[in-house]
Amino acid sequence: MTKSADHSWTHAGHGLPDSEPSLNTTAIATGLQLPAGFAAIAGDAELGPAITTNLAKVEKKLREAIANSDPLADATSRHLVEAGGKRIRPLLTLLCAHLGDASLPAVVQAAVVVELTHLATLYHDDVMDSAPFRRGAPTAHEVWGNSVAVLTGDLIFARASILVSELGGRALGIQARTFERLCLGQLHETVGPRPDEDPIEHYLSVIADKTGSLVAASGQFGAIFSGADEAYENVLVEYGEKVGVAFQLADDVIDVTGVKVKSGKSPGTDLREGVPTLPVLLLRKAAADGDQSAVDLLKLIDGDLSSDEALAAAVAGLREHPVTAESWVVARQWANEAIEALAPLPEGVVKESLSNFALAVVDRAS
């Protein structure tokens, strides 16, 4: 059994392999780029360096948290971390911590927890969706098989649970309820809406659980572990829920309208896999209401999309149909509501950055 250098807990398999090089926080910070919407942070002489430094600490601790002395577990756990990612959730934790004292050590640990939780869900989601690529690399189940991928997700979530347990009972409760919602969201997406349930409302509830819940917890952790005013917590939870939904709705439209993106996901992937997304759900509603163009397009979408030609035709048809523009309207409405939720926060770079991020999630091509 190997003891972690940074934590009091020990458990079988954890620890850096003998060949693991030392990670330099300064070097990591130099290579970091903030995602779209956070330009105000980079331009702030005080906040910019503080956020970048803490993000580098998060990156370093992420790699330490998933390291295993067991070669297979180490390789599978590193797979997605080393593929990169925007680190949106830990960034939100670190940013919201500047509503209080962002220098407190628990802030960085909480940021690591939310990213580990996110990574764990990606392993599971890719198995559920039979996704071939994630972040430009083959998914874990494509490399090692479904069972190893699922167990790796479980292992990473276990690591997140150990870290969050050190933050206290309240953090553990938030983490547990968030993970419950993540699981319920996946379950409800898998089984679909009940016969008496509106499909669009069902889908919105699914993405609120699968995406909004963890984004909300990210901001809440930042407020809690920086000792910020308790009144800010509910503000950040509401913001996180709404901006998370806006983000996923934008992804829906990008699948139809975007060019091939860095993740390796081409336009129409969701159509081919039969994944329910807002443009298609709105198309079904339009068809049910008597829109003949929607009826005709649904015949194509519900048909055989295995050939690239058929998929391209379906994508082109949906891209041009009014439901795609309507989907953008819905996504922007959620983003605007997220911004409105920030009203009680003090004016400054934190509030400005959160607002700009909400706008950026619905103004992107990938």
Side-chain angles (χ1 to χ4, degrees):
M1 191 169 346
T2 305
K3 185 173 182 179
S4 167
D6 292 336
H7 301 92
S8 59
W9 48 268
T10 59
H11 55 98
H14 184 75
L16 299 175
D18 293 337
S19 60
E20 177 67 15
S22 176
L23 296 170
N24 184 286
T25 302
T26 303
I28 295 173
T30 302
L32 288 175
Q33 288 187 330
L34 295 178
F38 293 105
I41 296 175
D44 188 278
E46 182 177 344
L47 194 61
I51 291 286
T52 302
T53 298
N54 274 346
L55 267 178
K57 290 179 181 178
V58 168
E59 195 69 25
K60 182 174 185 289
K61 290 180 180 296
L62 270 176
R63 293 169 185 263
E64 292 171 352
I66 54 88
N68 286 273
S69 55
D70 176 271
L72 176 60
D74 189 66
T76 60
S77 297
R78 287 173 179 275
H79 189 65
L80 279 184
V81 169
E82 294 184 345
K86 296 182 177 69
R87 307 291 190 246
I88 293 294
R89 291 154 190 83
L91 176 54
L92 289 174
T93 300
L94 300 177
L95 175 62
C96 293
H98 281 270
L99 294 169
D101 182 357
S103 68
L104 296 175
V107 169
V108 169
Q109 183 150 327
V112 173
V113 166
V114 295
E115 185 65 9
L116 285 174
T117 303
H118 175 56
L119 288 170
T121 66
L122 296 184
Y123 280 84
H124 292 165
D125 285 352
D126 287 342
V127 171
M128 296 289 294
D129 298 339
S130 299
F133 294 100
R134 168 74 68 177
R135 298 175 176 174
T139 48
H141 70 87
E142 289 284 333
V143 179
W144 293 284
N146 286 349
S147 295
V148 170
V150 169
L151 289 169
T152 300
D154 293 344
L155 177 61
I156 293 173
F157 181 68
R159 296 282 163 81
S161 299
I162 292 169
L163 292 177
V164 79
S165 70
E166 296 177 348
L167 294 173
R170 188 174 180 212
L172 192 56
I174 293 170
Q175 171 79 344
R177 286 188 291 273
T178 300
F179 197 65
E180 178 185 41
R181 289 186 62 190
L182 292 169
C183 293
L184 285 172
Q186 185 65 63
L187 175 64
H188 293 154
E189 180 180 66
T190 301
V191 302
R194 300 184 305 272
D196 62 341
E197 190 175 10
D198 178 79
I200 294 176
E201 291 301 317
H202 171 268
Y203 182 65
L204 290 173
S205 71
V206 164
I207 61 177
D209 285 341
K210 287 189 61 178
T211 305
S213 64
L214 187 55
V215 177
S218 301
Q220 186 179 16
F221 275 169
I224 290 173
F225 293 108
S226 67
D229 190 322
E230 290 183 7
Y232 298 158
E233 287 184 42
N234 288 338
V235 172
L236 295 173
V237 167
E238 182 180 357
Y239 167 83
E241 290 270 352
K242 292 181 181 296
V243 82
V245 171
F247 189 96
Q248 187 57 54
L249 291 175
D251 270 2
D252 285 359
V253 188
I254 289 168
D255 182 68
V256 176
T257 62
V259 296
K260 187 170 183 178
V261 296
K262 292 180 181 179
S263 65
K265 184 179 180 182
S266 300
T269 299
D270 289 339
L271 289 180
R272 176 172 279 168
E273 296 175 354
V275 177
T277 58
L278 185 61
V280 174
L281 292 173
L282 290 174
L283 189 71
R284 295 191 187 283
K285 183 177 184 297
D289 291 341
D291 182 340
Q292 188 58 47
S293 66
V295 172
D296 294 340
L297 183 54
L298 272 178
K299 291 179 182 177
L300 178 59
I301 289 173
D302 290 339
D304 183 2
L305 298 180
S306 57
S307 73
D308 291 342
E309 293 77 13
L311 182 62
V315 167
L318 192 53
R319 180 186 296 132
E320 298 302 321
H321 197 278
V323 295
T324 294
E326 185 181 349
S327 297
W328 274 125
V329 170
V330 175
R332 291 189 175 105
Q333 180 181 348
W334 280 89
N336 289 335
E337 290 180 4
I339 294 170
E340 291 170 4
L342 296 172
L345 295 186
E347 297 300 324
V349 178
V350 173
K351 184 176 183 177
E352 179 187 355
S353 297
L354 292 173
S355 296
N356 288 341
F357 173 63
L359 294 174
V361 302
V362 292
D363 186 24
R364 58 198 170 99
S366 65

mmCIF file of all heavy atoms in Angstrom, residues 28-61:
data_model
loop_
_atom_site.group_PDB
_atom_site.id
_atom_site.type_symbol
_atom_site.label_atom_id
_atom_site.label_comp_id
_atom_site.label_asym_id
_atom_site.label_seq_id
_atom_site.Cartn_x
_atom_site.Cartn_y
_atom_site.Cartn_z
ATOM 1 N N ILE A 28 3.079 24.128 -15.902
ATOM 2 C CA ILE A 28 1.688 23.877 -16.284
ATOM 3 C C ILE A 28 0.966 25.192 -16.501
ATOM 4 O O ILE A 28 0.231 25.368 -17.483
ATOM 5 C CB ILE A 28 0.967 23.053 -15.195
ATOM 6 C CG1 ILE A 28 1.589 21.664 -15.073
ATOM 7 C CG2 ILE A 28 -0.521 22.926 -15.520
ATOM 8 C CD1 ILE A 28 1.058 20.857 -13.908
ATOM 9 N N ALA A 29 1.164 26.149 -15.592
ATOM 10 C CA ALA A 29 0.481 27.439 -15.681
ATOM 11 C C ALA A 29 0.840 28.168 -16.969
ATOM 12 O O ALA A 29 -0.009 28.825 -17.585
ATOM 13 C CB ALA A 29 0.836 28.301 -14.471
ATOM 14 N N THR A 30 2.077 28.043 -17.394
ATOM 15 C CA THR A 30 2.534 28.732 -18.607
ATOM 16 C C THR A 30 1.772 28.258 -19.836
ATOM 17 O O THR A 30 1.504 29.037 -20.757
ATOM 18 C CB THR A 30 4.045 28.499 -18.815
ATOM 19 O OG1 THR A 30 4.748 28.975 -17.663
ATOM 20 C CG2 THR A 30 4.543 29.225 -20.049
ATOM 21 N N GLY A 31 1.398 26.985 -19.843
ATOM 22 C CA GLY A 31 0.727 26.434 -21.012
ATOM 23 C C GLY A 31 -0.780 26.516 -20.977
ATOM 24 O O GLY A 31 -1.448 26.084 -21.921
ATOM 25 N N LEU A 32 -1.358 27.089 -19.933
ATOM 26 C CA LEU A 32 -2.813 27.138 -19.802
ATOM 27 C C LEU A 32 -3.419 28.258 -20.636
ATOM 28 O O LEU A 32 -2.876 29.357 -20.728
ATOM 29 C CB LEU A 32 -3.206 27.333 -18.339
ATOM 30 C CG LEU A 32 -3.009 26.131 -17.405
ATOM 31 C CD1 LEU A 32 -3.341 26.532 -15.966
ATOM 32 C CD2 LEU A 32 -3.888 24.962 -17.829
ATOM 33 N N GLN A 33 -4.575 27.965 -21.223
ATOM 34 C CA GLN A 33 -5.360 28.973 -21.921
ATOM 35 C C GLN A 33 -6.778 28.942 -21.377
ATOM 36 O O GLN A 33 -7.402 27.880 -21.306
ATOM 37 C CB GLN A 33 -5.376 28.706 -23.433
ATOM 38 C CG GLN A 33 -4.058 28.997 -24.128
ATOM 39 C CD GLN A 33 -4.185 28.893 -25.635
ATOM 40 O OE1 GLN A 33 -4.994 28.129 -26.154
ATOM 41 N NE2 GLN A 33 -3.390 29.683 -26.343
ATOM 42 N N LEU A 34 -7.293 30.103 -21.001
ATOM 43 C CA LEU A 34 -8.649 30.161 -20.460
ATOM 44 C C LEU A 34 -9.664 29.997 -21.588
ATOM 45 O O LEU A 34 -9.466 30.507 -22.694
ATOM 46 C CB LEU A 34 -8.875 31.490 -19.742
ATOM 47 C CG LEU A 34 -8.014 31.733 -18.491
ATOM 48 C CD1 LEU A 34 -8.316 33.107 -17.910
ATOM 49 C CD2 LEU A 34 -8.252 30.661 -17.449
ATOM 50 N N PRO A 35 -10.767 29.282 -21.324
ATOM 51 C CA PRO A 35 -11.797 29.082 -22.353
ATOM 52 C C PRO A 35 -12.470 30.390 -22.746
ATOM 53 O O PRO A 35 -12.330 31.418 -22.068
ATOM 54 C CB PRO A 35 -12.795 28.133 -21.671
ATOM 55 C CG PRO A 35 -12.063 27.545 -20.518
ATOM 56 C CD PRO A 35 -11.074 28.578 -20.081
ATOM 57 N N ALA A 36 -13.234 30.328 -23.821
ATOM 58 C CA ALA A 36 -13.968 31.502 -24.301
ATOM 59 C C ALA A 36 -14.899 32.031 -23.213
ATOM 60 O O ALA A 36 -15.530 31.271 -22.488
ATOM 61 C CB ALA A 36 -14.778 31.130 -25.545
ATOM 62 N N GLY A 37 -14.968 33.355 -23.125
ATOM 63 C CA GLY A 37 -15.842 33.977 -22.147
ATOM 64 C C GLY A 37 -15.123 34.466 -20.910
ATOM 65 O O GLY A 37 -15.699 35.191 -20.103
ATOM 66 N N PHE A 38 -13.856 34.081 -20.756
ATOM 67 C CA PHE A 38 -13.132 34.432 -19.535
ATOM 68 C C PHE A 38 -11.997 35.420 -19.794
ATOM 69 O O PHE A 38 -11.023 35.466 -19.044
ATOM 70 C CB PHE A 38 -12.598 33.166 -18.869
ATOM 71 C CG PHE A 38 -13.682 32.267 -18.341
ATOM 72 C CD1 PHE A 38 -14.024 31.099 -19.011
ATOM 73 C CD2 PHE A 38 -14.368 32.601 -17.195
ATOM 74 C CE1 PHE A 38 -15.029 30.276 -18.531
ATOM 75 C CE2 PHE A 38 -15.372 31.783 -16.704
ATOM 76 C CZ PHE A 38 -15.710 30.620 -17.372
ATOM 77 N N ALA A 39 -12.124 36.226 -20.835
ATOM 78 C CA ALA A 39 -11.089 37.201 -21.171
ATOM 79 C C ALA A 39 -10.897 38.227 -20.057
ATOM 80 O O ALA A 39 -9.786 38.726 -19.845
ATOM 81 C CB ALA A 39 -11.436 37.909 -22.480
ATOM 82 N N ALA A 40 -11.984 38.533 -19.352
ATOM 83 C CA ALA A 40 -11.887 39.529 -18.275
ATOM 84 C C ALA A 40 -10.944 39.059 -17.175
ATOM 85 O O ALA A 40 -10.281 39.876 -16.533
ATOM 86 C CB ALA A 40 -13.271 39.818 -17.696
ATOM 87 N N ILE A 41 -10.882 37.745 -16.962
ATOM 88 C CA ILE A 41 -9.963 37.204 -15.951
ATOM 89 C C ILE A 41 -8.523 37.445 -16.383
ATOM 90 O O ILE A 41 -7.693 37.947 -15.624
ATOM 91 C CB ILE A 41 -10.200 35.698 -15.740
ATOM 92 C CG1 ILE A 41 -11.597 35.444 -15.161
ATOM 93 C CG2 ILE A 41 -9.136 35.107 -14.820
ATOM 94 C CD1 ILE A 41 -11.940 33.977 -15.038
ATOM 95 N N ALA A 42 -8.240 37.062 -17.628
ATOM 96 C CA ALA A 42 -6.870 37.185 -18.128
ATOM 97 C C ALA A 42 -6.407 38.634 -18.103
ATOM 98 O O ALA A 42 -5.213 38.908 -17.917
ATOM 99 C CB ALA A 42 -6.783 36.625 -19.542
ATOM 100 N N GLY A 43 -7.333 39.570 -18.287
ATOM 101 C CA GLY A 43 -6.967 40.975 -18.332
ATOM 102 C C GLY A 43 -6.859 41.640 -16.978
ATOM 103 O O GLY A 43 -6.481 42.811 -16.897
ATOM 104 N N ASP A 44 -7.182 40.907 -15.911
ATOM 105 C CA ASP A 44 -7.118 41.478 -14.573
ATOM 106 C C ASP A 44 -5.765 41.167 -13.941
ATOM 107 O O ASP A 44 -5.386 40.005 -13.797
ATOM 108 C CB ASP A 44 -8.250 40.913 -13.710
ATOM 109 C CG ASP A 44 -8.362 41.612 -12.371
ATOM 110 O OD1 ASP A 44 -7.583 41.249 -11.461
ATOM 111 O OD2 ASP A 44 -9.221 42.494 -12.210
ATOM 112 N N ALA A 45 -5.059 42.200 -13.541
ATOM 113 C CA ALA A 45 -3.682 42.032 -13.058
ATOM 114 C C ALA A 45 -3.593 41.177 -11.802
ATOM 115 O O ALA A 45 -2.589 40.507 -11.563
ATOM 116 C CB ALA A 45 -3.055 43.399 -12.807
ATOM 117 N N GLU A 46 -4.630 41.189 -10.983
ATOM 118 C CA GLU A 46 -4.606 40.411 -9.742
ATOM 119 C C GLU A 46 -5.290 39.066 -9.909
ATOM 120 O O GLU A 46 -4.735 38.023 -9.552
ATOM 121 C CB GLU A 46 -5.293 41.203 -8.626
ATOM 122 C CG GLU A 46 -5.284 40.483 -7.278
ATOM 123 C CD GLU A 46 -5.915 41.317 -6.182
ATOM 124 O OE1 GLU A 46 -6.083 42.537 -6.370
ATOM 125 O OE2 GLU A 46 -6.259 40.737 -5.124
ATOM 126 N N LEU A 47 -6.489 39.089 -10.472
ATOM 127 C CA LEU A 47 -7.274 37.862 -10.602
ATOM 128 C C LEU A 47 -6.667 36.891 -11.610
ATOM 129 O O LEU A 47 -6.664 35.673 -11.391
ATOM 130 C CB LEU A 47 -8.716 38.208 -10.993
ATOM 131 C CG LEU A 47 -9.767 37.106 -10.855
ATOM 132 C CD1 LEU A 47 -9.876 36.664 -9.402
ATOM 133 C CD2 LEU A 47 -11.113 37.600 -11.358
ATOM 134 N N GLY A 48 -6.150 37.421 -12.719
ATOM 135 C CA GLY A 48 -5.607 36.559 -13.765
ATOM 136 C C GLY A 48 -4.534 35.607 -13.269
ATOM 137 O O GLY A 48 -4.662 34.381 -13.403
ATOM 138 N N PRO A 49 -3.460 36.123 -12.686
ATOM 139 C CA PRO A 49 -2.413 35.223 -12.186
ATOM 140 C C PRO A 49 -2.902 34.279 -11.091
ATOM 141 O O PRO A 49 -2.455 33.136 -11.025
ATOM 142 C CB PRO A 49 -1.356 36.197 -11.640
ATOM 143 C CG PRO A 49 -1.580 37.466 -12.383
ATOM 144 C CD PRO A 49 -3.059 37.542 -12.588
ATOM 145 N N ALA A 50 -3.808 34.750 -10.237
ATOM 146 C CA ALA A 50 -4.314 33.906 -9.156
ATOM 147 C C ALA A 50 -5.094 32.718 -9.704
ATOM 148 O O ALA A 50 -4.914 31.572 -9.263
ATOM 149 C CB ALA A 50 -5.196 34.731 -8.214
ATOM 150 N N ILE A 51 -5.952 32.983 -10.699
ATOM 151 C CA ILE A 51 -6.744 31.911 -11.304
ATOM 152 C C ILE A 51 -5.842 30.941 -12.054
ATOM 153 O O ILE A 51 -5.964 29.711 -11.932
ATOM 154 C CB ILE A 51 -7.803 32.488 -12.265
ATOM 155 C CG1 ILE A 51 -8.885 33.246 -11.494
ATOM 156 C CG2 ILE A 51 -8.427 31.379 -13.114
ATOM 157 C CD1 ILE A 51 -9.865 32.394 -10.753
ATOM 158 N N THR A 52 -4.910 31.464 -12.836
ATOM 159 C CA THR A 52 -4.021 30.613 -13.622
ATOM 160 C C THR A 52 -3.170 29.720 -12.719
ATOM 161 O O THR A 52 -2.995 28.525 -12.989
ATOM 162 C CB THR A 52 -3.115 31.475 -14.518
ATOM 163 O OG1 THR A 52 -3.926 32.293 -15.362
ATOM 164 C CG2 THR A 52 -2.230 30.598 -15.382
ATOM 165 N N THR A 53 -2.669 30.302 -11.653
ATOM 166 C CA THR A 53 -1.844 29.525 -10.719
ATOM 167 C C THR A 53 -2.663 28.406 -10.080
ATOM 168 O O THR A 53 -2.196 27.257 -9.975
ATOM 169 C CB THR A 53 -1.266 30.438 -9.624
ATOM 170 O OG1 THR A 53 -0.417 31.411 -10.232
ATOM 171 C CG2 THR A 53 -0.458 29.629 -8.613
ATOM 172 N N ASN A 54 -3.876 28.734 -9.654
ATOM 173 C CA ASN A 54 -4.705 27.706 -9.026
ATOM 174 C C ASN A 54 -5.167 26.645 -10.022
ATOM 175 O O ASN A 54 -5.306 25.467 -9.670
ATOM 176 C CB ASN A 54 -5.904 28.339 -8.319
ATOM 177 C CG ASN A 54 -5.575 28.769 -6.903
ATOM 178 O OD1 ASN A 54 -4.547 28.384 -6.355
ATOM 179 N ND2 ASN A 54 -6.440 29.567 -6.308
ATOM 180 N N LEU A 55 -5.404 27.050 -11.271
ATOM 181 C CA LEU A 55 -5.741 26.058 -12.298
ATOM 182 C C LEU A 55 -4.588 25.088 -12.510
ATOM 183 O O LEU A 55 -4.797 23.887 -12.720
ATOM 184 C CB LEU A 55 -6.081 26.755 -13.618
ATOM 185 C CG LEU A 55 -7.545 27.068 -13.903
ATOM 186 C CD1 LEU A 55 -7.679 27.802 -15.237
ATOM 187 C CD2 LEU A 55 -8.407 25.806 -13.904
ATOM 188 N N ALA A 56 -3.370 25.618 -12.475
ATOM 189 C CA ALA A 56 -2.192 24.753 -12.605
ATOM 190 C C ALA A 56 -2.100 23.789 -11.426
ATOM 191 O O ALA A 56 -1.743 22.615 -11.595
ATOM 192 C CB ALA A 56 -0.928 25.601 -12.704
ATOM 193 N N LYS A 57 -2.417 24.273 -10.231
ATOM 194 C CA LYS A 57 -2.428 23.393 -9.061
ATOM 195 C C LYS A 57 -3.487 22.299 -9.224
ATOM 196 O O LYS A 57 -3.259 21.136 -8.865
ATOM 197 C CB LYS A 57 -2.714 24.197 -7.800
ATOM 198 C CG LYS A 57 -1.586 25.128 -7.381
ATOM 199 C CD LYS A 57 -1.965 25.921 -6.132
ATOM 200 C CE LYS A 57 -0.859 26.877 -5.719
ATOM 201 N NZ LYS A 57 -1.249 27.687 -4.534
ATOM 202 N N VAL A 58 -4.642 22.676 -9.767
ATOM 203 C CA VAL A 58 -5.694 21.690 -10.012
ATOM 204 C C VAL A 58 -5.210 20.627 -10.984
ATOM 205 O O VAL A 58 -5.403 19.421 -10.774
ATOM 206 C CB VAL A 58 -6.970 22.382 -10.559
ATOM 207 C CG1 VAL A 58 -7.961 21.347 -11.097
ATOM 208 C CG2 VAL A 58 -7.633 23.228 -9.476
ATOM 209 N N GLU A 59 -4.573 21.064 -12.065
ATOM 210 C CA GLU A 59 -4.079 20.119 -13.080
ATOM 211 C C GLU A 59 -3.072 19.155 -12.472
ATOM 212 O O GLU A 59 -3.095 17.952 -12.733
ATOM 213 C CB GLU A 59 -3.462 20.889 -14.236
ATOM 214 C CG GLU A 59 -3.250 20.060 -15.493
ATOM 215 C CD GLU A 59 -4.552 19.658 -16.163
ATOM 216 O OE1 GLU A 59 -5.568 20.353 -15.979
ATOM 217 O OE2 GLU A 59 -4.543 18.631 -16.882
ATOM 218 N N LYS A 60 -2.177 19.676 -11.662
ATOM 219 C CA LYS A 60 -1.161 18.849 -11.012
ATOM 220 C C LYS A 60 -1.822 17.835 -10.075
ATOM 221 O O LYS A 60 -1.489 16.640 -10.085
ATOM 222 C CB LYS A 60 -0.183 19.728 -10.244
ATOM 223 C CG LYS A 60 0.964 18.999 -9.557
ATOM 224 C CD LYS A 60 1.936 20.002 -8.965
ATOM 225 C CE LYS A 60 3.167 19.301 -8.367
ATOM 226 N NZ LYS A 60 2.867 18.554 -7.139
ATOM 227 N N LYS A 61 -2.771 18.307 -9.267
ATOM 228 C CA LYS A 61 -3.429 17.426 -8.306
ATOM 229 C C LYS A 61 -4.354 16.420 -8.987
ATOM 230 O O LYS A 61 -4.569 15.317 -8.491
ATOM 231 C CB LYS A 61 -4.186 18.253 -7.272
ATOM 232 C CG LYS A 61 -3.255 19.001 -6.313
ATOM 233 C CD LYS A 61 -4.033 19.811 -5.294
ATOM 234 C CE LYS A 61 -3.085 20.538 -4.347
ATOM 235 N NZ LYS A 61 -2.289 19.591 -3.536
#
